[in-house]
């Protein structure tokens, strides 16, 4: 596929049936679906100098395939999503495993049978495990906040340990708030697992890594005669919105617009900025074969960073004598600072503010916000793909 850098002087919006803002999952999925189903001519505008959004990967100076915007591990329960994405990549059978470093002991996260034995010793750990099975059943996921509600001394012992040693400090670092203060769905992403499955995404039937990497997956998805990709183009420079229309390059645009950026930016944050957390990613290449035993180690009781990822452990890349690791430091996002808004901070006030921005585009019937930023959601890659496939179906239905 070919990427044009910058917008050509003779760029003519009306030559396109659809303009897509953003070349991440949300934008690329919509572009591909509309191009291949109803033959839409699609222009994809991306302000970064590369495609693939936050899933972008590249080979660093040492030759290690790294994820520029944090570790991305594909996993899904959706056969529909999996079938769609599998058209553009083969998958490795990588099963993501995470260990928590708790005062030097490495325990599986989600906290599971093995973690219990490591934390409480063989005998007491087994007793507590049996109690968990009696209470919740086997091979089930129990969110930490739900476990804490149980009025039972044994379960309280487990809950207190996990809360203190796995969730409290990590969550403080990641969100600047305690697990009780943040939206319960966030910690529920990493429940206690009553069982032996030690994968980070227990039970997810489809998981792995794209065999040639994420960027290659996107190159294949966007490689279509009807799709033109323009990088280094910020849509805000050519878009103007009023109550019912969107102008592109000064003229009312009659085609469809798929927008995958933050909604507040479109209005210069005039109702206030939507709050996000951002990350500083610190990459380091080491002259060793391997740094740590698994893809990611979470530092749940110590350090200023939340986790260290070692990319070779996830991609399976063979490169003796070199490895690249990455530490993540989380802090509040400052709009206009050039930082990346990675995580929407989900609370009722922020959702309300988002709703007010959404209201302002509701009557622009050809303008479609979709994706993790534009929907202000904590979406994984599969959820974004599902949302974009749904939107695509709606647009297709109007044009078939
Ligand atoms: P994005 O990937 O953010 O793409 C939006 C694109 O729009 C960006 O490239 C942006 O530059 C562009 N854009 C925005 N505004 C404009 C504009 N005005 N003009 C032009 N372009 C614009 N998901 C998983 O499933 N597994 C994981 O392991 C995983 N790990 C993650 C780790 C981290 C640290 C983070 C932050 C996320 C992780 N995710 C993971 C989530 C995953 O990154 C997202 O679900 C997915 O990338 C969202 O796709 P998107 O298209 O909605 O947004
Ligand atoms: N979490 C935690 N300790 C861990 C792992 C996760 O406290 O060892 C909490 C933390 O609040 C985190 C949330 O669970 O933000 C979701 O974790 P996940 O790994 O899904 O976050 P992501 O990979 O999206 O950053």
């Amino acid at each position: 596929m070919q990427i044009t850098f910058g917008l050509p002087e003779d760029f003519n919006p009306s030559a396109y049936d659809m303009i897509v803002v953003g070349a991440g999952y949300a934008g690329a999925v919509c572009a591909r679906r509309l191009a291949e189903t109803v033959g839409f001519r699609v222009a994809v505008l991306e302000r970064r100098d590369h495609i693939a959004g936050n899933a972008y990967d590249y080979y660093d100076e040492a030759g290690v395939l790294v994820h520029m915007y944090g570790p991305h591990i594909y996993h899904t329960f959706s056969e529909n999503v999996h079938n769609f994405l599998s058209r553009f990549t083969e998958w490795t059978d990588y099963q993501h495993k995470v260990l928590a470093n708790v005062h030097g002991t490495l325990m599986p996260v989600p906290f599971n049978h093995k973690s219990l034995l490591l934390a409480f010793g063989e005998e007491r750990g087994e007793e507590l495990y049996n109690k968990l099975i009696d209470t919740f059943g086997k091979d089930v996921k129990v969110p930490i906040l739900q476990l804490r509600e149980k009025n039972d001394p044994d379960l309280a012992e487990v809950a207190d340990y996990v809360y203190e040693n796995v969730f409290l400090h990590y969550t403080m670092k990641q969100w600047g708030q305690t697990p009780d203060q943040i939206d319960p769905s966030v910690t529920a992403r990493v429940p206690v697992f009553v069982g032996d499955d030690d994968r980070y995404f227990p039970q997810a039937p489809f998981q792995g890594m794209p065999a040639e990497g994420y960027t290659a997956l996107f190159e294949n998805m966007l490689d279509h005669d009807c799709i033109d990709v323009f990088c280094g183009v910020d849509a805000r420079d050519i878009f103007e919105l009023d109550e019912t229309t969107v102008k592109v390059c000064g003229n009312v645009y009659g085609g469809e617009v798929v927008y995958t950026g933050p909604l507040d930016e479109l209005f210069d944050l005039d109702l206030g900025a939507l709050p996000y957390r951002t990350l500083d990613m610190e990459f380091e290449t080491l002259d060793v074969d391997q740094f740590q035993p698994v893809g990611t180690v979470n530092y749940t009781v110590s350090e200023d960073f939340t986790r260290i990822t070692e990319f070779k452990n996830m991609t399976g890349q063979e490169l003796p004598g070199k490895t690249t690791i990455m530490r993540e430091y989380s802090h509040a996002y400052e709009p206009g600072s050039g930082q990346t808004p990675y995580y929407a901070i989900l609370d009722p006030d922020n959702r309300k503010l988002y709703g007010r921005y959404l209201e302002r585009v509701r009557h622009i019937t050809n303008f479609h916000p979709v994706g993790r930023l534009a929907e202000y959601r904590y979406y994984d890659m599969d959820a974004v793909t599902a949302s974009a496939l749904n939107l695509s179906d709606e647009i297709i239905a109007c044009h078939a």
Side-chain angles (χ1 to χ4, degrees):
M1 64 154 298
Q2 216 186 328
I3 297 178
T4 303
F5 288 90
L7 208 56
E9 278 189 10
D10 60 354
F11 177 75
N12 176 11
S14 60
Y16 295 98
D17 304 295
M18 182 160 94
I19 295 181
V20 171
V21 178
Y25 278 95
V29 168
C30 291
R32 178 75 192 203
R33 287 301 288 149
L34 271 294
E36 69 185 7
T37 52
V38 287
F40 265 24
R41 295 267 315 153
V42 184
V44 179
L45 312 180
E46 168 55 60
R47 67 179 166 199
R48 289 170 169 163
D49 62 1
H50 59 75
I51 58 170
N54 283 347
Y56 175 67
D57 56 14
Y58 67 99
Y59 288 89
D60 68 9
E61 280 179 12
V64 181
L65 182 62
V66 299
H67 298 178
M68 182 157 179
Y69 304 100
H72 279 68
I73 301 94
Y74 171 73
H75 58 101
T76 188
F77 285 86
S78 164
E79 198 170 348
N80 190 32
V81 165
H82 188 62
N83 287 344
F84 178 75
L85 293 177
S86 300
R87 292 174 49 202
F88 311 110
T89 187
E90 303 279 324
W91 303 99
T92 70
D93 66 357
Y94 174 68
Q95 309 288 305
H96 192 46
K97 293 190 179 172
V98 174
L99 295 171
N101 184 322
V102 182
H103 303 297
T105 302
L106 296 178
M107 320 185 164
V109 178
F111 202 86
N112 66 5
H113 185 192
K114 187 171 174 197
S115 319
L116 274 168
L117 302 182
L118 286 165
F120 294 96
E122 295 278 329
E123 200 177 321
R124 183 69 184 140
E126 209 55 48
E127 274 171 23
L128 292 171
Y129 181 56
N130 287 325
K131 186 70 176 267
L132 283 168
I133 294 177
D134 291 345
T135 312
F136 298 104
K138 193 163 180 306
D139 292 330
V140 293
K141 299 170 181 169
V142 185
I144 180 62
L145 297 182
Q146 192 183 320
L147 186 58
R148 288 187 95 208
E149 284 165 7
K150 290 280 170 195
N151 203 5
D152 172 283
D154 289 336
L155 297 180
E157 192 177 342
V158 178
D160 288 349
Y161 182 91
V162 177
Y163 185 83
E164 177 62 39
N165 290 288
V166 179
F167 284 95
L168 180 59
H169 303 281
Y170 187 102
T171 299
M172 282 304 295
K173 284 188 277 186
Q174 177 72 7
W175 298 99
Q177 290 180 294
T178 67
D180 307 282
Q181 289 169 325
I182 63 174
D183 192 281
S185 66
V186 174
T187 47
R189 288 167 57 87
V190 188
V192 169
F193 187 70
V194 187
D196 289 296
D197 193 335
D198 61 351
R199 297 172 300 168
Y200 202 56
F201 309 110
Q203 300 170 329
F206 309 108
Q207 40 186 312
M209 299 291 276
E212 306 296 328
Y214 288 99
T215 304
L217 183 167
F218 276 81
E219 282 167 357
N220 292 334
M221 195 173 358
L222 290 167
D223 186 15
H224 190 284
D225 285 347
C226 293
I227 302 177
D228 291 336
V229 179
F230 302 90
C231 279
V233 178
D234 193 322
R236 290 173 303 173
D237 294 340
I238 55 168
F239 273 41
E240 280 169 75
L241 274 63
D242 65 22
E243 277 181 18
T244 53
T245 63
V246 48
K247 284 186 184 159
V248 182
C249 299
N251 297 312
V252 172
Y253 182 66
E256 305 288 353
V257 176
V258 168
Y259 177 79
T260 76
L263 276 190
D264 57 353
E265 284 189 3
L266 279 178
F267 300 98
D268 293 329
L269 323 180
D270 62 0
L271 298 175
L274 286 167
Y276 288 93
R277 297 290 287 181
T278 190
L279 298 172
D280 293 335
M281 318 270 183
E282 186 184 271
F283 290 85
E284 187 180 2
T285 298
L286 305 166
D287 293 328
V288 295
D289 289 335
Q290 193 178 30
F291 170 76
Q292 62 188 27
V294 289
T296 299
V297 174
N298 289 356
Y299 286 76
T300 54
V301 292
S302 61
E303 313 302 339
D304 293 337
F305 50 84
T306 51
R307 56 189 177 187
I308 298 184
T309 293
E310 183 171 9
F311 294 100
K312 274 170 51 181
N313 288 349
M314 301 192 320
T315 59
Q317 187 184 358
E318 297 282 343
L319 189 68
K322 292 265 178 222
T323 193
T324 300
I325 61 171
M326 191 195 65
R327 298 177 177 84
E328 289 170 58
Y329 297 84
S330 172
H331 57 92
Y333 166 73
E334 289 166 38
S337 60
Q339 298 165 347
T340 305
Y342 283 118
Y343 295 92
I345 302 176
L346 304 173
D347 76 19
D349 285 348
N350 300 347
R351 284 197 168 105
K352 209 161 137 196
L353 179 59
Y354 170 76
R356 290 175 65 205
Y357 279 113
L358 190 61
E359 186 59 27
R360 287 167 79 173
V361 298
R362 210 162 59 86
H363 298 291
I364 312 176
T365 51
N366 61 337
F367 186 88
H368 311 283
V370 63
R372 179 156 157 142
L373 293 165
E375 295 181 64
Y376 200 63
R377 298 282 292 267
Y378 195 163
Y379 272 154
D380 282 329
M381 296 182 280
D382 61 331
V384 172
T385 302
S387 185
L389 287 173
N390 284 340
L391 172 62
S392 301
D393 285 347
E394 284 170 25
I395 302 175
I396 291 164
C398 296
H399 293 273

